């Protein structure tokens, strides 16, 4: 039976006099509409979500029916409406940042209209309640047996950040050494080559096929909802590159109300207080636009970004833009197809290192200022199918193309260049075998296809199968066991297999704290660049090493999380003790003729402790009330040892710390952040001994303070806009993260943002 | 608050191009081969860098400011060990860099060279040690040394 509103529309379309080609398209669209319309009417669920403490409606809460693709986002008045729900028993889950997860089991009949009032209980600020990275499925943060930092993007975007690395520096236990992300000290510095952290966009791998590198500017931050950082070995689920952890950028789910947002910002670099470093007034600006809407079964999320940065260093300027779109089609209640499209273009100066400490804002290769043009494109699709309330499958496939070309204006085109495709296809199944036993399994293939002047024509293939069981029948004990077998093949290199098991335990104690334990093995296959790079640039000579083996490691973690009351306010406290043993680590080293070559040289052990505390102080019952001071403290102590050289691992700090405070003032908020990294104890001495970089060993501890004042347009002028005045590196503290690279001095930033 | 404003205006610390390093460093790896001697004959093991070649002795040259030695003794019974020497008086030419072993109880006399920079074992009497000119402050200079306890180099000490 076709509902009358569809029947009328179809008749009107076929009666119109339109060309045959358009008619074909119209017929396809009409068929789709009819298929959608022919779905049984099902039940309707109407919710009102509000704050349990203040009874105010909550906008932006995520509502989903577990085991289906049905869900929605609450509107400004707190309402959500889910339609066409097939009859059956469901678990309704409502979650929102800053609130405890709400769950209830419902039995729905066809034709039912169920109205529910959902009151969410506040919990300590800043906690993202639902994560997807630990088990490749949605679960509460408390269910995950490993440490996960989940960062909500909306507050971060108030800070005019436009690249992923800027966000990652604000996450506890994470450092960024130029192009390398290091989670709890697992990575050093190799100009981005061979990331030991896997990067995902909505679960799709996003490391370049040639160098296994993160391209920080390729991520659509404006379209992202949150970033999840899984800390520790994760190859049992994710395979290669997840040696130190996984970063998963999760994009937003559109609601039925159209949501648009914009961001315009501009800033100036402060004049360095040393005359030797002054280059005249320089600045940066950027603009972002995003739009999201769900129209029946179709949901669209899109964003556009453009950024121009003159840089505080000579020949280091950049111009980049990016487009992103996500299209989701809910074919039927149990079926959804999502397509991701992304393209980023970047043109920047090829800054490598300074001329000297006295000329720290001038490049060492000033005489031949190269530029780099790079393109990053992603086409990916995900097909999710719930075969029943117990059985589901997800088919994910993606093609990530990266290309870069170095060029020297006026010179022949013989400089390094590379075109690489990273292809990924994964078929994952989930089966709720028993009420407390969830089984997952999947097969995963990765292909890296490279054509490069510096790596040659190379093909690398990884095939894998994995399985995992989550056992909850021993409540309050939850146990996860799993393993993944990977096989790697690359032309000119030996084939090898890697078996990576995993064990996770979560225990909700009767006296309050929740304990977790994780143990897992991980590996990283050498990238094409590490095996076959052969180039001569900026004074460096790089030689290939096809004999490289995969690097491997075991990591274990014991953690505890609890909410404690301090001065009458709830504070979320999390402590983790971790240990990693790493074998055959691939590091660039200087060999014969001062040439750089990647080698399996390092046997390492990293031990440490991480403490996170989040809460607020002040008279109010709520964290975002005027006069309350929201606080976040994080401290990481690391002991990263190079057992081969009996010394500290290179490019690691022993102490990492972040302190953050926000003070709501009624018409806006004042923010302060302090980031600390103790002095890196060891670097590659050859940068200095071989005379590549003058004053290469000049480094100090890192103290960076950021101040920001945000004014709410709604409170001041009745408009949905926000004005932010910020000062980054407010104390104008001069430091390096890697040799010969002065970090940005003080910056003044003005941002106007808004949404509807 | 006033302090905060003053700090913001003044800037506070970090790298400073007007305070340049005045010292240089020698760094390197000592690789050991052959059977190690008994532990009771390994009373001390250090890298010593001499301005004179041949030197008169170890302790006397150090006391007279003509030689430098590593602050900590090298680890024993290992395959390799890294070391660092800080050079404060620049420029200087180090004509003889040696791994020196104190094999007996006499601090002044019981020393011998077991590995020489520029004379990998087996080194005969014709081998001329490499010199290292340390001139530039803030720079690290590299000097790797090989030691073979079964093939000791020619002994410079009386």
């Amino acid at each position: 039976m076709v509902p009358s509103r569809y029947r009328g529309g179809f008749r009107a379309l076929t009666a119109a006099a339109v060309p045959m080609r358009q008619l074909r398209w119209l017929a396809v669209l009409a068929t789709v509409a009819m298929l959608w319309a022919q779905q049984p009417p099902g039940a309707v669920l109407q919710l009102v979500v509000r704050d349990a403490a203040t009874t105010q409606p909550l906008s932006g809460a995520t509502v989903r029916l577990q085991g289906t693709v049905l869900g929605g986002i609450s509107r400004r008045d707190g309402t959500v409406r889910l339609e066409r729900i097939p009859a059956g028993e469901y678990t309704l889950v409502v979650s929102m940042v800053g609130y405890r997860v709400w769950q209830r089991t419902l039995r729905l009949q066809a034709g039912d209209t169920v109205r529910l009032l959902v009151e969410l209980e506040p919990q300590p600020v800043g906690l993202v309640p639902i994560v997807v990275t630990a088990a490749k499925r949605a679960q509460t943060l408390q269910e995950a047996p490993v440490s996960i930092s989940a960062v909500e993007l909306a507050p971060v975007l108030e800070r005019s950040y436009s690249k992923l690395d800027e966000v990652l520096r604000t996450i506890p236990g994470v450092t960024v050494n130029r192009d390398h992300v290091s989670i709890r000290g697992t990575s050093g510095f190799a100009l981005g080559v061979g990331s030991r952290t896997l990067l995902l966009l909505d679960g799709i791998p996003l490391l370049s096929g040639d160098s296994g590198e993160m391209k920080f500017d390729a991520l659509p931050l404006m379209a992202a909802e949150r970033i999840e950082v899984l800390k520790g070995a994760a190859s049992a689920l994710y395979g290669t590159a997840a040696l130190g952890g996984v970063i998963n950028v999760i994009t937003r789910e559109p609601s039925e109300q159209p949501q648009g947002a914009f961001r315009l910002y501009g800033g100036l670099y402060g004049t360095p207080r040393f005359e030797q470093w002054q280059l005249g007034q320089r600045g940066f600006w950027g603009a972002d636009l995003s739009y999201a809407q769900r129209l029946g079964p179709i949901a669209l999320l899109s964003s556009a970004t453009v950024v121009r940065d003159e840089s505080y260093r000579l020949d280091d300027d950049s111009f980049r833009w990016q487009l992103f779109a996500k299209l989701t089609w809910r074919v039927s209640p149990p079926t959804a197809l999502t397509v991701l499209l992304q393209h980023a273009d970047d043109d920047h100066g090829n800054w490598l290192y300074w001329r000297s400490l006295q000329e720290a804002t001038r490049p060492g290769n000033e005489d031949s200022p190269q530029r780099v043009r790079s393109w990053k494109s992603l086409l990916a699709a995900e097909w999710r199918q719930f075969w029943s309330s117990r059985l589901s499958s997800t088919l994910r496939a993606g093609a990530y193309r990266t290309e870069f070309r170095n060029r020297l204006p006026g010179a022949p085109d013989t400089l390094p260049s590379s075109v690489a495709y990273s292809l990924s296809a994964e078929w994952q199944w989930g089966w709720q075998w028993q009420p407390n036993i969830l089984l997952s399994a999947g097969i995963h293939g990765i292909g890296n296809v490279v054509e490069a002047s510096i790596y040659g024509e190379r093909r690398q293939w990884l095939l894998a199968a994995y399985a995992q069981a989550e056992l909850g029948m021993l409540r309050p004990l939850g146990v996860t066991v799993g393993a993944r077998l990977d096989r790697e093949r690359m032309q000119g290199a030996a084939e090898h297999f890697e078996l990576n098991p995993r064990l996770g335990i979560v225990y909700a104690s009767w006296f309050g704290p929740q304990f977790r334990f994780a143990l897992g093995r991980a590996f990283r296959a050498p990238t094409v660049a590490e095996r076959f790079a052969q180039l001569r640039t900026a004074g460096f000579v790089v030689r290939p090493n096809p004999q490289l083996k995969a690097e491997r490691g075991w990591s274990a973690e014991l953690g505890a999380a609890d909410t404690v009351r301090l001065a009458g306010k709830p504070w979320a406290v999390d402590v983790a003790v971790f240990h990693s043993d790493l074998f055959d680590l691939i590091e660039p080293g200087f060999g014969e003729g001062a040439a750089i070559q990647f080698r399996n040289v390092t046997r390492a052990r990293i031990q440490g402790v991480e403490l996170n505390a989040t809460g607020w102080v002040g008279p109010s019952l709520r964290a975002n009330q005027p006069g309350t001071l929201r606080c976040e403290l994080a401290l990481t102590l690391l002991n990263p040892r190079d057992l081969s050289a009996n010394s500290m691992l290179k490019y690691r700090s022993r102490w990492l710390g972040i302190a953050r405070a926000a003070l709501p003032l009624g018409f806006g908020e004042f923010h302060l952040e302090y980031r600390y990294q103790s002095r890196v104890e060891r670097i590659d001495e050859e940068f200095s001994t071989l005379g590549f970089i003058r004053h290469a060993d000049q480094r100090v501890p890192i103290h960076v303070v950021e101040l920001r004042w945000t004014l709410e347009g709604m409170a001041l002028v009745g408009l949905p806009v926000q004005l932010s005045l910020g000062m980054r590196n407010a104390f104008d503290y001069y430091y390096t993260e890697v040799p010969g690279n002065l970090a940005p001095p003080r910056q003044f930033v003005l941002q106007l943002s808004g949404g509807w | 608050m006033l302090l905060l404003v003053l700090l913001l205006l003044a800037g506070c610390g970090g790298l400073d191009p007007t305070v340049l390093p005045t010292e240089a460093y020698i760094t390197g790896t000592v690789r050991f081969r052959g059977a190690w001697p008994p532990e009771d004959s390994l009373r001390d093991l250090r890298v010593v860098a001499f301005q004179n070649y041949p030197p008169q002795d170890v302790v006397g040259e150090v006391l007279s400011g003509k030689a430098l030695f590593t602050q900590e003794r090298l680890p024993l019974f290992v395959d390799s060990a890294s070391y660092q020497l800080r050079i404060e008086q620049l420029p200087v030419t180090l004509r003889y860099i040696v791994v020196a072993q104190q094999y007996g109880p006499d601090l002044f006399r019981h020393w011998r060279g077991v590995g020489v920079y520029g004379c990998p074992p087996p080194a005969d009497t014709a081998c001329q040690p490499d010199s290292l000119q340390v001139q530039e402050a803030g720079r690290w200079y590299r000097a790797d040394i090989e030691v073979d306890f079964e093939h000791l180099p020619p002994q410079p000490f009386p």
Side-chain angles (χ1 to χ4, degrees):
Chain A
M1 182 71 183
V2 179
S4 59
R5 67 177 190 273
Y6 288 104
R7 267 187 269 137
F10 186 63
R11 192 168 55 241
L13 286 170
T14 50
V18 290
M20 185 59 77
R21 193 172 152 196
Q22 289 184 22
L23 267 181
R24 273 205 301 271
W25 280 107
L26 289 172
V28 170
L29 286 172
T31 308
V32 168
M34 283 177 66
L35 283 171
W36 169 250
Q38 282 167 4
Q39 297 294 326
V44 175
L45 195 55
Q46 291 181 330
L47 305 181
V48 177
V49 186
R50 66 186 200 187
D51 184 308
T54 65
T55 69
Q56 293 295 308
L58 290 174
S59 164
T62 302
V63 176
R64 63 189 175 89
L65 285 176
Q66 262 185 2
T68 75
V69 296
L70 290 170
I73 310 286
S74 63
R75 302 184 187 93
R76 208 159 283 155
D77 59 358
T79 60
V80 186
R81 183 183 167 91
L82 307 182
E83 297 176 336
R84 299 171 183 280
I85 308 169
E89 190 174 285
Y90 298 95
T91 301
L92 175 66
V93 182
V94 183
S95 58
M96 187 170 176
V97 173
Y99 293 87
R100 290 186 204 288
V101 177
W102 185 97
Q103 292 191 51
R104 182 171 296 178
T105 303
L106 300 173
R107 181 175 290 280
L108 300 173
Q109 303 292 335
D112 281 357
T113 298
V114 176
R115 295 179 178 84
L116 276 176
L117 175 65
V118 176
E119 294 199 318
L120 298 183
E121 295 282 342
Q123 70 172 9
V125 291
L127 298 182
V128 174
I130 300 287
V131 293
V132 298
T133 311
K136 285 196 174 181
R137 69 172 182 90
Q139 61 181 169
T140 63
L141 193 60
Q142 288 75 25
E143 288 177 294
V146 292
S147 286
I148 293 185
S149 289
V151 178
E152 196 194 1
L153 252 290
V156 173
L157 292 176
E158 291 174 11
R159 303 166 69 167
S160 313
Y161 289 164
S162 63
K163 286 184 3 183
L164 180 68
D165 55 325
E166 295 171 314
V167 183
L168 294 176
R169 282 185 179 88
T170 68
I171 296 177
V174 178
T175 56
V176 181
N177 294 332
R178 197 167 144 153
D179 306 304
H180 261 283
V181 175
S182 178
I183 297 177
R184 291 178 173 170
T186 43
S187 290
F189 166 59
L191 283 172
V193 175
S195 173
R196 290 191 188 119
T197 302
L198 179 62
L199 176 65
L200 306 170
L201 175 63
D202 282 339
I204 305 288
L206 219 61
L207 293 178
S208 64
D210 48 6
S211 58
E213 179 182 355
M214 288 188 196
K215 308 285 187 183
F216 295 132
D217 61 317
L219 278 299
L221 295 187
M222 199 63 181
E225 179 185 270
R226 65 182 188 278
I227 295 177
E228 296 179 9
V229 178
L230 187 157
K231 301 170 182 177
S235 289
L237 270 182
Y238 292 98
T240 182
L243 195 69
V246 178
I247 295 170
N248 198 356
V249 179
I250 314 291
T251 59
R252 281 185 281 138
E253 288 298 326
S255 68
E256 286 166 7
Q257 277 190 327
Q259 292 177 313
F262 73 93
R263 194 172 68 140
L264 300 168
Y265 60 87
L268 292 172
Y269 291 103
T271 304
R273 59 179 178 274
F274 300 114
E275 197 179 345
Q276 300 95 315
W277 293 352
Q278 293 170 4
L279 296 173
Q281 197 66 69
R282 286 166 170 249
F284 54 91
W285 60 265
D288 304 275
L289 199 61
S290 76
Y291 183 80
Q293 188 172 10
R294 176 179 297 284
L295 284 168
I298 305 290
L300 171 70
L301 169 68
S302 58
S303 71
T305 294
V306 58
V307 180
R308 164 78 176 137
D309 185 357
E310 292 177 325
S311 183
Y312 56 99
R313 305 185 293 199
L314 197 66
D315 296 333
D316 186 38
D317 61 297
S318 64
F319 179 78
R320 56 194 160 83
W321 58 268
Q322 184 205 84
L323 295 172
F324 171 78
K326 180 172 89 167
L327 196 67
T328 303
W329 176 27
R330 287 186 180 172
V331 182
S332 64
T335 309
L337 172 68
T338 300
V339 177
L340 298 178
L341 283 164
Q342 173 273 340
H343 180 78
D345 188 326
D346 174 33
D347 185 314
H348 65 266
N350 190 23
W351 174 283
L352 288 173
Y353 51 84
W354 64 33
R355 180 169 280 196
S356 69
L357 181 61
Q358 295 102 319
E359 296 177 282
T361 53
R362 293 180 178 277
N365 57 341
E366 190 176 2
D367 302 334
S368 56
Q370 288 184 20
R371 294 196 68 77
V372 181
R373 184 88 188 268
S374 71
W375 300 266
K376 285 82 51 175
S377 308
L378 173 72
L379 171 61
E382 181 188 89
W383 180 273
R384 295 183 69 195
Q385 179 73 45
F386 286 85
W387 303 97
S388 71
S389 60
R390 291 179 161 197
L391 183 66
S392 67
S393 70
T394 305
L395 184 63
R396 271 185 216 101
Y400 181 44
R401 180 186 189 276
T402 54
E403 177 178 357
F404 76 83
R405 289 187 185 281
N406 285 28
R407 57 196 168 84
L408 186 61
D413 192 17
T414 56
L415 294 168
S417 64
S418 174
V419 180
Y421 293 86
S422 181
L423 312 170
S424 168
E426 181 180 9
W427 200 7
Q428 179 192 341
W429 288 78
W431 182 30
Q432 189 88 46
W433 179 39
Q434 298 289 325
N436 291 323
I437 300 178
L438 180 64
L439 304 176
S440 308
I443 51 175
H444 191 187
I446 297 172
N448 294 317
V449 180
V450 180
E451 287 185 22
S453 65
I454 48 179
Y455 314 131
E457 286 188 23
R458 308 290 172 188
R459 307 283 183 271
Q460 181 181 33
W461 303 103
L462 287 119
L463 284 173
Y466 61 88
Q468 168 181 273
E470 293 171 72
L471 314 170
M473 69 284 200
L474 301 172
R475 287 183 188 282
L477 196 69
V479 178
T480 304
V481 290
R484 172 170 165 140
L485 181 67
D486 278 78
R487 170 192 182 223
E488 193 231 347
R489 288 181 65 193
M490 192 191 289
Q491 293 167 330
E495 176 181 325
H496 68 102
F497 289 86
E498 299 287 340
L499 178 64
N500 295 290
R502 169 198 187 204
L503 169 68
I505 299 172
V506 177
Y507 175 62
S509 72
W510 73 94
F511 54 93
Q514 172 127 359
F515 296 96
R516 61 180 186 272
F517 172 76
L519 173 69
R521 184 187 187 273
F523 84 106
R524 186 179 70 83
T527 60
V528 168
E530 287 166 309
R531 279 182 171 137
F532 298 108
Q534 189 160 20
L535 73 153
R536 183 184 294 270
T537 183
F540 295 102
V541 177
V542 182
R543 293 212 175 117
N545 183 5
Q547 309 308 319
L548 275 181
K549 296 182 289 185
E551 50 185 26
R552 297 157 288 120
W554 283 91
S555 84
E557 177 192 325
L558 184 63
D562 198 6
T563 301
V564 297
R565 295 197 84 79
L566 289 174
K569 303 293 183 300
W571 279 65
V573 179
D574 190 294
V575 184
V577 182
F578 50 90
H579 176 112
S580 294
D581 261 304
L582 303 163
F583 306 89
D584 293 325
L585 285 188
I586 300 169
E587 302 278 351
F590 289 84
E592 201 175 315
I596 298 173
Q597 194 178 44
F598 289 91
R599 298 181 202 144
N600 295 100
V601 286
T602 308
R603 162 95 168 84
R605 178 169 293 153
I606 301 172
Q607 296 164 315
V609 184
E610 191 166 291
L611 170 71
N612 288 278
T614 308
W616 76 91
V617 290
S620 174
L621 291 173
R622 299 297 316 280
N624 55 359
Q625 297 298 307
T628 58
L629 186 67
R630 296 201 308 270
C631 304
E632 187 180 344
L633 303 166
L635 191 63
T636 308
L637 170 62
L638 291 167
N639 184 24
R641 300 295 299 173
D642 183 334
L643 300 181
S644 310
N646 192 28
S647 61
M648 277 279 282
L649 279 168
K650 294 171 189 169
Y651 305 104
R652 270 74 163 187
S653 297
R654 202 177 280 278
W655 290 93
L656 312 174
I658 291 175
R660 208 173 278 141
L663 182 66
L665 297 168
F667 51 88
E669 281 195 336
F670 181 76
H671 298 258
L672 184 149
E673 182 182 284
Y674 168 64
R675 183 165 61 87
Y676 171 72
Q677 235 178 284
S678 63
R679 183 177 184 269
V680 166
E681 294 187 21
R682 196 169 155 234
I683 63 167
D684 282 299
E685 290 150 356
E686 289 84 352
F687 283 129
S688 185
T689 57
L690 300 175
F692 287 121
I693 305 176
R694 285 198 73 197
H695 304 131
D697 65 325
Q698 289 295 298
R699 57 192 192 276
V700 289
I702 295 175
H703 302 274
V704 179
V705 173
E706 181 174 330
L707 305 173
R708 188 162 38 89
W709 191 19
T710 305
L711 299 169
E712 290 293 341
M714 193 58 83
L716 291 170
V717 292
L719 290 172
V721 295
Q722 201 175 53
L723 188 69
S724 290
L725 302 160
M727 199 190 299
R728 298 179 189 163
N729 193 1
F731 289 165
D732 208 21
Y733 183 83
Y734 301 132
Y735 64 97
T736 58
E737 287 179 329
V738 295
N741 275 263
L742 184 71
R746 183 188 292 151
Q747 301 143 72
F748 304 91
V749 192
L750 178 66
Q751 174 175 304
L752 179 68
S753 59
W756 65 90
Chain B
M1 185 58 83
L2 182 64
L3 180 65
L4 184 69
V5 172
L6 287 174
L7 284 171
L8 287 174
L9 292 174
C12 71
L15 294 172
D16 187 341
T18 62
V19 184
L20 287 172
T22 56
E23 72 284 350
Y25 293 86
I26 299 177
T27 184
T29 302
V30 180
R31 291 189 179 79
F32 297 100
R33 282 193 278 161
W36 281 75
E39 191 167 1
D40 59 1
S41 71
L42 290 161
R43 291 170 177 266
D44 205 344
L45 192 67
R46 292 173 194 262
V47 177
V48 189
F50 296 90
Q51 292 181 32
N52 297 324
Y53 179 74
Q56 294 304 305
D57 61 10
V58 173
V59 178
E61 296 271 347
V62 169
L63 291 176
S64 65
K66 297 291 184 187
L68 299 153
F69 61 84
T70 46
Q71 294 297 306
E72 293 178 3
R73 57 187 283 176
L74 295 173
L76 306 180
F77 308 107
V78 294
D79 294 334
S80 65
S82 57
Y83 74 92
Q84 283 178 14
L85 274 170
R86 181 183 159 115
I87 316 287
E88 292 179 345
Q89 292 178 335
L90 300 174
V92 65
T93 300
L94 298 166
R95 295 184 173 82
Y96 186 59
I97 303 172
V98 64
V99 177
Q101 173 198 0
Q102 186 191 345
Y103 57 89
D106 190 330
L107 179 65
F108 292 90
R109 290 194 302 117
H110 290 161
W111 287 91
R112 67 182 173 199
V114 293
V116 177
Y117 174 54
C119 290
D124 57 27
T125 51
C127 178
Q128 282 296 310
D130 281 351
S131 290
L132 195 62
Q133 293 191 355
V134 182
Q135 295 177 321
E136 191 181 326
R139 184 166 171 181
W140 291 64
Y141 293 82
R142 181 140 203 131
D144 294 334
I145 304 171
E146 290 188 37
V147 172
D148 186 344
F149 288 106
E150 294 169 3
H151 298 93
L152 296 182
Q155 293 302 308
F157 309 120

